[in-house]
Amino acid sequence: MQSYSCKSIACDTTFSCPEVTKWSKSLACDITQLSCPEMTADIPAPTSKPQKEIDDELAALKEIMRSLRTRRNSHSPISSIPPEILGAIFVHLVQQTQLLHAPDAPAVLSWLNIGNVCRHWREVTLGTPELWATPYLVSLQATEEMLLRSKMAPLKLRTGRKYRMECVQKTLMHTERLQEVSFPVFSHVFDSCTTHRCIVEFLDKLSSCSAPKLQSLLFEVGFKQTPQITIPTYFPAPNLRSLQIKHCDLSWASSVLVGLTVLNIKKLSPESLPTLDELISALRRMPALHTLELEDALPTLPFQMTSLPRAPCAMNVRLPHLKQLRLAAKMLEVANVLARIELQESITEVRLVCDGFSGNPNHQWNLSLPIISRTLKSCFKASPDKSRQVLRSMQLYSTSSCIRLHSSTVRNPSSWVGSESGACLDLDLLAGTPVTLAFDFPDDMRRSILSDLQKVVPFGSIEAMYFQIFFPCWDGFWTDLLGRGTTRNLAYMDIQGPRQALEELLKSLRSQKHSVSRRVGGRTQQRPIFAPVLSHLVLRGLEFGSSISKWMRPSDLLDVLIDRVNEGRGLDRLEFISTTGILARDVKLLREVVADVSWDEYESSDEDSDHDYDYDYDYDHDYDSDYDNPIDYRFYSDHGYSS
């Protein structure tokens, strides 16, 4: 007889699942056949009394065999687990499955296979209300069945790209049981007036009846929606701890802004933007706040602002539990709010996105710089409890009009190698990055802002730096950027940029004395040694000149490296990646002064124009892979369980 164990379910949960999916139905059928093969339906009906008596005996024997199989399975080790613990294990499985799949993907119901293992597991599954507390909103039949089986367990309403409005409405009727309500933005869904009206009706209902179990509320509305959804001022949800809204309005005196631990507000209408006093007052009502994200939701300032308003330190707000702070607005608006928030040692992540200036950019930068520097000071230090470590690496992406700077406590983050993510700052992909800065600025401010970065970032602790530079570099670029003598711990550099970046790098790397190099720029270098402990250099996408070119030649790099070897500061590893102008003979000579030289034999930049781009690539392919199979919304029917 077949005996079932934990291995049975380990395999099942990897499937995707649609009506309990075709494969789920076949799995149930397989289990049934293993336990007791069913008699075919086309057997002719018995016509004699002896045949009828024999059929009755066979049916009784079948029931005895089923009972014996159940008793035998009850003596297996896994059956000794109490139903309460088994139910808790199943709940954990469901939670992990919901993290892996979108709420509307059939695969989010793949956990239903646990009920197909044996009768005991099916009974535990049906008797654990928490398993059914996140209704599948694509099917009305599934929603009604899950609401029934969840009994009085707290409900989680989570919509995806696809859902049926009647399913949402049926779930929202259980206001007293709602624990989480999540409507993330999908433009093609929120164009529906029905959806907009449903959310408004739900909020109106909340303002008149209590939601005692509601802990999390997320509304992200398409920007074209008019009128915008407004969070009611009176909001009887005493246990609400997380509020995340986008393109929704609210009053900053609303009772919803009390006792929160997560506050995420994006894209408020101009009429709903707070004053500085209103914002600070609201933050004081949330002393346990650990995540604060405000995007285009900060107090505005007059166009020609010449100074920031000052307030006594006693008027500032202290958020002792704040771990994540993310602000996005104009430079001076960000600085204005930072000046009134006192960050504590609990802070582990700060992201500042400054998308422009109003008025005089240079003046506003000079006003903002000391505030930003003071705010970030605590982020760059290790905390006493070691929950925050000192920074070890930095990635700088810069064009002529923007800077994207990321930092990490890991020396060589694998996601940074060859990364071009700085081109479009995807904050969701930067988890674990303690400090992220994104500044947009006029072209004529590029040099001053880059030169001031050393006032914000403590380069002295940085061991690895990644640079992606997309503008012509000026004379003395690396000194202006990194300062004089501040890169004392810098051991790793990964550089991608124009030919001027390479030229300026070789100037900076030259030894002070006994140099065999030709003079660069017609002058002798007299300064502290640049990056004295540099041991690993990666040149990515750079361009060397030929022997008759005025550009930097491979022989110039060789001379500079010989200088550093003579000073006892030679490299251990040198890498050329997609770098032109390097030939096999150059690599052979470089290996005489650097023990490990890696070269990808990339000799021509003509290949760059020959890439074949697949413009027909389906970017939703990964997402849609969860939507392949139909679902059997009957879940567990009463047939087929004989053990």
Side-chain angles (χ1 to χ4, degrees):
M1 189 193 76
Q2 179 69 40
S3 176
Y4 299 103
S5 66
C6 285
K7 282 189 175 180
S8 304
I9 187 172
C11 297
D12 297 341
T13 56
T14 62
F15 289 91
S16 57
C17 146
E19 272 192 302
V20 183
T21 73
K22 292 179 179 177
W23 47 261
S24 183
K25 289 179 67 178
S26 67
L27 177 62
C29 182
D30 291 343
I31 293 175
T32 304
Q33 291 173 356
L34 285 171
S35 303
C36 60
E38 293 184 355
M39 298 180 66
T40 57
D42 58 350
I43 295 178
T47 57
S48 66
K49 183 177 179 180
Q51 287 178 320
K52 177 67 168 60
E53 291 175 350
I54 293 173
D55 287 342
D56 290 342
E57 290 181 19
L58 287 173
L61 182 60
K62 182 178 179 181
E63 178 60 24
I64 292 173
M65 292 178 65
R66 185 204 61 77
S67 178
L68 288 173
R69 280 193 293 268
T70 299
R71 287 171 55 190
R72 185 181 188 281
N73 283 342
S74 68
H75 292 289
S76 63
I78 198 169
S79 296
S80 65
I81 300 177
E84 296 80 7
I85 296 179
L86 193 59
I89 294 172
F90 292 167
V91 169
H92 179 72
L93 169 66
V94 171
Q95 292 171 347
Q96 295 303 308
T97 303
Q98 291 170 349
L99 289 175
L100 290 174
H101 305 290
D104 57 333
V108 80
L109 293 179
S110 60
W111 61 269
L112 288 170
N113 287 302
I114 60 181
N116 294 333
V117 173
C118 65
R119 177 178 292 272
H120 175 55
W121 282 27
R122 173 178 179 264
E123 291 172 350
V124 171
T125 302
L126 292 174
T128 306
E130 292 80 8
L131 296 176
W132 309 93
T134 307
Y136 185 67
L137 303 175
V138 178
S139 162
L140 182 59
Q141 181 184 357
T143 298
E144 291 175 339
E145 189 65 29
M146 296 180 83
L147 287 174
L148 179 64
R149 295 183 183 183
S150 63
K151 299 179 182 179
M152 291 305 296
L155 294 176
K156 298 179 177 66
L157 186 154
R158 297 169 178 167
T159 62
R161 294 189 302 176
K162 299 179 293 184
Y163 58 87
R164 297 181 63 175
M165 186 51 58
E166 57 264 41
C167 298
V168 173
Q169 292 171 333
K170 277 189 174 291
T171 306
L172 290 178
M173 290 173 60
H174 299 264
T175 308
E176 73 287 350
R177 293 174 55 197
L178 290 173
Q179 183 181 67
E180 176 184 337
V181 177
S182 176
F183 277 86
V185 62
F186 297 107
S187 58
H188 65 284
V189 172
F190 272 95
D191 284 339
S192 168
C193 294
T194 305
T195 305
H196 185 276
R197 184 169 63 253
C198 175
I199 296 176
V200 172
E201 291 174 354
F202 168 66
L203 290 174
D204 288 343
K205 184 178 180 181
L206 276 184
S207 64
S208 59
C209 65
S210 178
K213 295 183 179 180
L214 188 61
Q215 296 181 4
S216 176
L217 191 62
L218 184 153
F219 288 136
E220 294 183 345
V221 182
F223 71 96
K224 294 182 179 179
Q225 281 296 334
T226 54
Q228 288 202 169
I229 290 175
T230 301
I231 307 298
T233 302
Y234 177 66
F235 200 90
N239 291 308
L240 187 69
R241 294 297 175 263
S242 174
L243 177 65
Q244 302 178 69
I245 58 175
K246 182 176 182 179
H247 288 296
C248 296
D249 288 344
L250 83 167
S251 166
W252 289 86
S254 173
S255 60
V256 74
L257 297 176
V258 176
L260 298 178
T261 58
V262 176
L263 178 62
N264 184 332
I265 300 179
K266 298 179 181 179
K267 308 295 182 182
L268 285 179
S269 66
E271 297 79 15
S272 293
L273 292 174
T275 64
L276 184 59
D277 289 340
E278 286 176 334
L279 175 59
I280 298 303
S281 176
L283 293 178
R284 287 200 181 98
R285 301 196 297 271
M286 296 175 272
L289 198 67
H290 64 70
T291 299
L292 174 61
E293 182 167 357
L294 301 174
E295 178 184 329
D296 294 334
L298 300 185
T300 57
L301 295 169
F303 182 73
Q304 293 292 345
M305 193 77 174
T306 58
S307 63
L308 290 175
R310 293 188 177 183
C313 291
M315 299 296 291
N316 293 344
V317 61
R318 297 181 73 254
L319 300 172
H321 302 286
L322 190 65
K323 294 183 179 296
Q324 297 179 330
L325 175 64
R326 306 168 188 172
L327 302 178
K330 289 184 170 57
M331 176 72 70
L332 207 57
E333 294 171 357
V334 170
N336 187 36
V337 172
L338 286 177
R340 296 292 304 275
I341 298 177
E342 295 185 7
L343 299 184
Q344 308 299 306
E345 290 184 346
S346 61
I347 194 74
T348 59
E349 179 185 339
V350 174
R351 300 179 185 173
L352 305 180
V353 180
C354 304
D355 58 3
F357 297 83
S358 57
N360 186 329
N362 280 289
H363 179 65
Q364 293 188 15
W365 169 249
N366 291 332
L367 285 176
S368 305
L369 179 61
I371 297 173
I372 294 175
S373 178
R374 183 173 65 251
T375 300
L376 297 180
K377 188 175 182 180
S378 60
C379 300
F380 290 118
K381 297 187 298 184
S383 58
D385 62 357
K386 296 185 179 180
S387 61
R388 184 182 64 248
Q389 300 178 348
V390 68
L391 297 183
R392 299 183 63 195
S393 59
M394 183 191 79
Q395 181 189 49
L396 177 67
Y397 170 95
S398 182
T399 68
S400 60
S401 60
C402 75
I403 291 173
R404 306 289 185 263
L405 185 145
H406 317 311
S407 61
S408 175
T409 56
V410 178
R411 173 171 167 172
N412 296 102
S414 58
S415 61
W416 288 6
V417 178
S419 168
E420 297 182 2
S421 61
C424 55
L425 185 65
D426 188 343
L427 298 183
D428 293 333
L429 298 179
L430 298 176
T433 303
V435 176
T436 298
L437 304 177
F439 299 153
D440 292 345
F441 48 81
D443 181 71
D444 58 1
M445 288 187 62
R446 178 177 65 245
R447 181 167 183 170
S448 61
I449 290 182
L450 285 171
S451 299
D452 283 336
L453 281 182
Q454 57 189 283
K455 300 177 182 177
V456 177
V457 182
F459 290 135
S461 66
I462 302 296
E463 300 174 25
M465 290 188 176
Y466 298 75
F467 299 94
Q468 293 175 293
I469 301 165
F470 300 96
F471 57 82
C473 299
W474 57 86
D475 188 31
F477 171 78
W478 293 103
T479 299
D480 287 350
L481 177 62
L482 301 178
R484 296 180 182 274
T486 59
T487 54
R488 54 186 177 274
N489 290 314
L490 183 60
Y492 178 99
M493 289 184 73
D494 186 316
I495 300 174
Q496 177 181 356
R499 60 180 180 82
Q500 295 96 333
L502 175 61
E503 180 177 338
E504 291 301 321
L505 177 67
L506 295 188
K507 290 181 185 179
S508 298
L509 287 175
R510 287 187 62 194
S511 172
Q512 292 186 83
K513 54 187 178 180
H514 309 302
S515 176
V516 300
S517 307
R518 67 186 176 107
R519 291 191 177 188
V520 180
R523 66 181 186 279
T524 303
Q525 308 296 310
Q526 296 293 333
R527 62 186 185 284
I529 294 179
F530 177 82
V533 299
L534 183 66
S535 60
H536 189 161
L537 177 63
V538 180
L539 302 180
R540 188 186 304 274
L542 294 174
E543 186 174 4
F544 283 91
S546 64
S547 58
I548 60 173
S549 171
K550 294 182 179 179
W551 297 359
M552 291 294 102
R553 303 188 295 264
S555 59
D556 296 320
L557 173 62
L558 177 64
D559 291 344
V560 167
L561 295 181
I562 292 174
D563 290 348
R564 291 182 69 91
V565 168
N566 291 337
E567 288 287 319
R569 305 183 188 279
L571 295 181
D572 295 328
R573 180 170 173 79
L574 175 64
E575 294 185 54
F576 298 102
I577 301 175
S578 301
T579 294
T580 62
I582 292 290
L583 302 176
R585 62 174 179 270
D586 301 315
V587 175
K588 182 178 180 180
L589 291 172
L590 288 167
R591 283 177 175 153
E592 295 181 5
V593 292
V594 180
D596 187 0
V597 178
S598 172
W599 176 48
D600 59 4
E601 301 186 14
Y602 185 94
E603 297 185 10
S604 173
S605 61
D606 295 338
E607 299 174 16
D608 292 342
S609 60
D610 296 332
H611 290 305
D612 292 328
Y613 296 100
D614 184 5
Y615 292 104
D616 295 326
Y617 178 75
D618 181 5
Y619 290 97
D620 288 333
H621 174 72
D622 293 337
Y623 188 93
D624 291 340
S625 64
D626 288 341
Y627 293 82
D628 293 337
N629 302 310
I631 301 178
D632 181 357
Y633 298 117
R634 294 171 297 177
F635 302 132
Y636 307 131
S637 58
D638 290 333
H639 70 278
Y641 288 90
S642 58
S643 62

